[in-house]
Amino acid sequence: MSLDDRARQILRDNDAGGFTLPTKRLYPFQWNWDSAFAALGFATFDLDRAWTEIETLLEGQWSNGMVPHIIFRKEDPDYFPGPSVWQTGTEPPSSGISQPPVAASVVRRLLEQAGDASEPRARAAFGKLLAWHRWFHTQRDPDRLGVIAATHPWEAGRDNSPDWDEALSSVDTSGVGSYERRDTSHVDPSMRPTKQDYDRYLAILKFGVAVAWDPLRIYRNGPFLVADPGLTFILLRADRDLLWLADRLGEMAVAEEIASWVATAEAGADRLWSEDLGGYAALDLKTGQSAPALSSVAFLAFYAGLTDRAAALCENLKRFRARSSYAVASFDPGNSRFDAVRYWRGSVWAVINFLIGQGLADQGQIDLADMVRADTAHLIRGGGFAEYYDPVTGRGVGGQTFTWTAAVWLAWGLSDIESTQS
Ligand code: DGY
């Protein structure tokens, strides 16, 4: 079977009926950005199914505009923490935080691909995406700093990145109590966050329950508040794509509002710039402290359309690659906190590579874009459709038969890349 066929088969097998599981057992529900990437994969062979994925994702939208990070479509004892822990009281049941908003950029791509016939579906999605982006700008950046804060590491989508270590170290876990994790019975615990990290994730979650998921109380008084280059840059790109959609769909009444979000973020990104590191770093908004080293999301500046500091970023990207075998390690491979297999502490993620590669290509950094794309293809050829990859050995790690990796394979046309590594 060709890898294209295999990727299509993975998407179909993980299709749970209008929405796609990231992978069975480890993630048995609908996850927000996983679904958006799934739509891009489906769009290469079943455009109708691609739109349905976006529509089911947006069905989970809260009345305040937030699109939650997990939609719990059914009970499943294989996952912890489920809906009874989150206690959000929504229908469908969902978690109480969001996730990187890639969906508007996906909707733009679907509409560009499909043309006028898809306009009604794009229009229906547009109003919901607008409300979601507005929620991010007012509830995750209420002081208009121009940087988007994660109120939980899961909200940034990069669960146990070293970016959060300092902020997590002051989270009080004394009220967490006992619980049974399920993730470590599905994959090797050495690839998953530690018990200490999990306790902290649950303590932050419990704060959300205690304030009935009031987003501003979470922002102002919650135990964790870190401005994330990943969320900030993905939303900035998504806002530009939303503006494109507004223009295409004749929704000009809101164009000014969206343009103001773009301008605020373009200025606000400076807050994340670290002269010492030569890149954009996570910033703890409670203490004012920057992350100790760069994460791969720093390179999403290109994707966000920020080019002022291209030279320093390109140097760092080359350095990351020189210290591993494959681009792009999720955390600086030269830093002592780098860990090649423990989830987001250094491993390579095909979806992040896809966004970085797209941004580099958009900004004319063609050699680096080609390198990231080729490395991604080699990793998937060698390591299978894994959740993520060891940047040193190339081994596929975490969950297997993974939706978003299969989606990237198809959407980025990776079968074009020769199988021999350059
Ligand atoms: C998990 O359960 O590991 C997820 O990443 C939370 O979203």
Side-chain angles (χ1 to χ4, degrees):
M1 185 186 274
S2 74
L3 285 172
D4 279 358
D5 285 340
R6 181 77 190 113
R8 285 188 280 265
Q9 185 189 47
I10 288 171
L11 289 180
R12 287 202 188 93
D13 284 353
N14 287 338
D15 183 349
F19 67 95
T20 312
L21 311 180
T23 189
K24 289 177 188 154
R25 306 211 56 212
L26 182 61
Y27 300 115
F29 308 108
Q30 183 169 22
W31 259 261
N32 187 321
W33 62 336
D34 294 76
S35 247
F37 287 111
L40 282 184
F42 278 120
T44 64
F45 64 100
D46 186 345
L47 199 54
D48 175 55
R49 182 62 189 76
W51 278 111
T52 303
E53 188 77 32
I54 296 294
E55 287 156 1
T56 58
L57 170 62
L58 295 175
E59 272 170 24
Q61 183 161 45
W62 286 21
S63 55
N64 68 5
M66 183 185 81
V67 181
H69 102 291
I70 309 175
I71 306 175
F72 299 108
R73 298 262 171 194
K74 58 177 173 43
E75 283 295 332
D76 197 317
D78 253 352
Y79 184 80
F80 177 86
S84 62
V85 182
W86 286 94
Q87 297 179 49
T88 58
T90 56
E91 193 46 50
S94 60
S95 68
I97 55 173
S98 199
Q99 227 176 13
V102 282
S105 302
V106 172
V107 166
R108 172 179 176 169
R109 194 159 151 158
L110 297 187
L111 184 57
E112 282 179 321
Q113 184 181 329
D116 293 349
S118 278
E119 224 182 85
R121 296 179 92 167
R123 194 179 297 285
F126 179 82
K128 296 179 180 183
L129 293 166
L130 177 72
W132 183 22
H133 288 205
R134 190 179 287 135
W135 175 87
F136 260 116
H137 289 290
T138 57
Q139 311 299 311
R140 292 300 188 248
D141 182 22
D143 300 323
R144 304 217 74 172
L145 300 175
V147 290
I148 302 298
T151 62
H152 192 299
W154 291 341
E155 193 156 57
R158 300 183 294 120
D159 301 15
N160 62 337
S161 168
D163 285 357
W164 325 129
D165 286 357
E166 262 73 37
L168 284 176
S169 68
S170 55
V171 172
D172 175 9
T173 57
S174 57
V176 165
S178 63
Y179 60 93
E180 192 191 341
R181 280 173 73 172
R182 302 294 301 145
D183 58 319
T184 42
S185 52
H186 302 314
V187 298
D188 182 340
S190 69
M191 300 173 185
R192 296 292 300 176
T194 61
K195 153 102 174 107
Q196 189 181 49
D197 280 338
Y198 244 76
D199 285 353
R200 291 161 172 165
Y201 302 157
L202 290 173
I204 303 170
L205 190 166
K206 277 171 183 276
F207 181 87
V209 174
V211 297
W213 297 106
D214 176 333
L216 279 182
R217 288 179 72 187
I218 292 172
Y219 189 97
R220 300 273 178 229
N221 307 318
F224 181 92
L225 193 72
V226 183
D228 174 28
L231 279 170
T232 301
F233 293 158
I234 286 171
L235 183 60
L236 175 48
R237 171 60 176 254
D239 280 336
R240 294 189 198 280
D241 291 331
L242 197 66
L243 198 51
W244 182 93
L245 284 165
D247 187 42
R248 172 74 172 68
L249 299 170
E251 300 275 0
M252 294 321 287
V254 291
E256 202 178 313
E257 180 182 12
I258 303 171
S260 79
W261 297 336
V262 169
T264 304
E266 282 176 342
D270 281 356
R271 293 178 194 275
L272 302 179
W273 182 258
S274 161
E275 208 51 55
D276 291 349
L277 299 176
Y280 296 95
L283 175 67
D284 187 332
L285 292 179
K286 288 178 175 293
T287 63
Q289 201 181 335
S290 282
L294 296 184
S295 282
S296 56
V297 292
F299 308 118
L300 292 176
F302 297 102
Y303 177 74
L306 301 176
T307 51
D308 288 0
R309 287 139 167 165
L313 287 168
C314 290
E315 278 319 301
N316 263 314
L317 180 54
K318 288 181 201 156
R319 187 178 58 79
F320 269 42
R321 175 58 160 78
R323 296 193 75 121
S324 52
S325 315
Y326 300 90
V328 179
S330 51
F331 192 69
D332 186 341
N335 187 274
S336 60
R337 298 189 192 190
F338 170 84
D339 181 328
V341 297
R342 200 183 283 281
Y343 219 37
W344 287 93
R345 301 187 74 83
S347 49
V348 179
W349 295 74
V351 287
I352 300 292
N353 277 12
F354 176 58
L355 302 181
I356 292 174
Q358 217 176 301
L360 288 165
D362 288 351
Q363 304 305 337
Q365 301 285 350
I366 302 304
D367 290 350
L368 287 174
D370 287 349
M371 176 190 80
V372 174
R373 184 164 174 264
D375 279 0
T376 312
H378 296 314
L379 283 168
I380 297 174
R381 276 190 198 282
F385 290 98
E387 184 177 7
Y388 57 94
Y389 301 87
D390 178 329
V392 181
T393 66
R395 181 166 66 116
V397 273
Q400 301 300 314
T401 56
F402 225 86
T403 291
W404 69 8
T405 307
V408 165
W409 178 269
L410 294 169
W412 216 357
L414 295 183
S415 56
D416 291 351
I417 308 271
E418 296 295 324
S419 60
T420 44
Q421 191 175 355
S422 49

